[in-house]
Amino acid sequence: MTSIDRVTFGELADGTGIEKWTLTNAGGVSVSILTWGATIQSVLVPDRDGNLGNVTLGFADLAGYTDPAYLAGNPFFGATVGRYANRIAGGGFTLDGESYKLAQNEGQTTLHGGSHGFDQRVWSATEVTNGVRMSYTSADGEQGFPGTLQVSVTFTLDERDALRLDYEATTDRATVVALTNHAYWNLAGEGSGSAESHLLRIDAEHFTPVDATLVPTGEIAPVAGTPFDFREFHPIGERIRGEHPQLGIGRGYDHNYVLNDGDGLRAVAVVRDPSSGRELTIETTEPGLQFYSGNFLDGKLRGGAGRTYRQGDAFALETQHFPDSPNQPGFPSTVLRPGETYRSTTVHVFSLFA
């Protein structure tokens, strides 16, 4: 049985209290989640010698997450992002003949829900079996999105060292929804340096190339013969400085993978750290996975252990619907209508490899 602990993590400037909920299983693996942004703040898992270490980027106090310097180049450490994860071109879309203009926070692009997305909102928390459910109501017109959206993310931790995220959302008006968590991983330990020696495998035959603004062009391109082919294990940094033009656009990997067997919960990616023996398997119901190699970490932020985060010191594997789907009719739909329920599940399974 997973134990559940709740403490105060700090207060916002207006006096609103932020809580930290920590889930700990019988083996000592623990996950801490904040009501600020429904954020995964730490994940403690053992290495091959049994030593527990935090393997996700984050801060030791609330000030780190609300610091204007952090928000200016917001890396979304561990946050639940929405109402639309990833990018929407031109900061807008048309739905049922009506055009919507969104908050733009990356040039003219809307990234991860806009300048004040779900990552900068206070979520309510309710204890559930083996976990906590975080809930938020996004008002009609928030960041330009139509419809009042009732959204929840349920975080549970089980005895196989699996962190499960179950997303649900309903709306009172047609809208678009795509949710994910933006955890950054370094299985050698948060703040331990480069993660480019980690071995990565992604179960995908295709990816979606991007334009100069990192928005998909609409093409579904094969990974075969490119540095984007992770169908077999490769070190993250092995080909990251190659001549492929897509690597130049994103300063490395920042691309959506078209996952194989797109229906149902299935394993889609595995990452291994040779130095610690830790392994992370990603399972999801989603059709896409954004592999981001931490290209824009610039040394300006110090994490919970007091160490600087630099380019390539961690990576994200964000399960998702495809970026810019509201403007890409060939991509899977992200439209949610009244009477429907958006559901998505992602599981992070931590283990050791020989």
Side-chain angles (χ1 to χ4, degrees):
M1 190 74 173
T2 297
S3 68
I4 302 170
D5 180 61
R6 177 180 63 179
V7 298
T8 299
F9 192 68
E11 289 187 354
L12 299 176
D14 64 3
T16 301
I18 300 301
E19 298 172 344
K20 179 173 76 171
W21 290 66
T22 299
L23 318 177
T24 306
N25 69 13
V29 169
S30 69
V31 179
S32 293
I33 306 111
L34 309 177
T35 53
W36 177 249
T39 295
I40 297 173
Q41 183 253 348
S42 72
V43 178
L44 294 174
V45 295
D47 64 12
R48 62 166 59 93
D49 298 318
N51 300 312
L52 289 172
N54 179 24
V55 296
T56 194
L57 303 195
F59 299 109
D61 53 38
L62 182 60
Y65 294 95
T66 58
D67 187 335
Y70 169 78
L71 295 174
N74 193 351
F76 303 91
F77 288 161
T80 297
V81 292
R83 173 176 312 194
Y84 197 97
N86 219 303
R87 295 172 172 90
I88 296 180
F93 63 94
T94 299
L95 178 59
D96 296 338
E98 187 169 351
S99 295
Y100 298 94
K101 197 65 177 176
L102 310 175
Q104 298 170 325
N105 59 328
E106 190 182 63
Q108 296 183 334
T109 302
T110 298
L111 173 63
H112 293 324
S115 53
H116 291 82
F118 290 0
D119 62 296
Q120 296 176 60
R121 306 292 179 175
V122 180
W123 295 58
S124 61
T126 305
E127 183 174 334
V128 299
T129 302
N130 293 331
V132 59
R133 177 177 295 115
M134 301 276 177
S135 302
Y136 176 68
T137 300
S138 176
D140 181 26
E142 185 176 283
Q143 298 293 284
F145 289 94
T148 299
L149 192 77
Q150 305 284 348
V151 59
S152 69
V153 187
T154 302
F155 300 82
T156 53
L157 177 66
D158 67 19
E159 296 309 312
R160 67 170 182 145
D161 299 340
L163 171 62
R164 179 179 174 120
L165 282 63
D166 289 296
Y167 303 84
E168 289 193 3
T170 58
T171 184
D172 62 359
R173 184 180 172 194
T175 191
V176 295
V177 183
L179 305 176
T180 194
N181 184 275
H182 207 300
Y184 289 70
W185 306 107
N186 184 325
L187 299 183
E190 171 266 333
S192 63
S194 175
E196 291 187 357
S197 63
H198 283 48
L199 304 173
L200 175 64
R201 180 171 62 79
I202 301 175
D203 189 17
E205 307 283 339
H206 296 85
F207 76 110
T208 52
V210 297
D211 63 19
T213 66
L214 291 172
V215 173
T217 63
E219 179 187 5
I220 305 291
V223 299
T226 78
F228 295 87
D229 189 350
F230 283 92
R231 291 174 295 175
E232 303 292 337
F233 282 107
H234 287 276
I236 288 173
E238 180 182 32
R239 301 163 295 176
I240 201 169
R241 290 166 181 81
E243 296 181 356
H244 196 288
Q246 285 288 307
L247 294 174
I249 292 173
R251 301 186 190 178
Y253 299 101
D254 194 1
H255 295 77
N256 171 65
Y257 280 76
V258 180
L259 298 172
N260 297 337
D261 301 322
D263 294 324
L265 184 66
R266 74 280 189 208
V268 298
V270 180
V271 60
R272 294 172 171 173
D273 170 42
S275 68
S276 67
R278 294 186 180 105
E279 178 176 276
L280 170 60
T281 300
I282 305 289
E283 302 171 354
T284 192
T285 57
E286 289 293 288
L289 178 78
Q290 186 82 7
F291 170 37
Y292 170 55
S293 52
N295 318 321
F296 294 96
L297 298 175
D298 58 7
K300 295 180 180 178
L301 300 174
R302 292 183 181 273
R307 300 188 182 98
T308 300
Y309 296 151
R310 299 184 182 276
Q311 186 180 49
D313 280 357
F315 55 90
L317 295 167
E318 305 156 65
T319 58
Q320 61 178 18
H321 266 58
F322 298 177
D324 201 36
S325 288
N327 297 311
Q328 300 280 0
F331 288 179
S333 175
T334 54
V335 174
L336 181 69
R337 300 186 182 278
E340 299 175 342
T341 300
Y342 168 97
R343 291 186 176 91
S344 175
T345 296
T346 293
V347 185
H348 303 80
V349 185
F350 297 92
S351 59
L352 298 171
F353 70 98

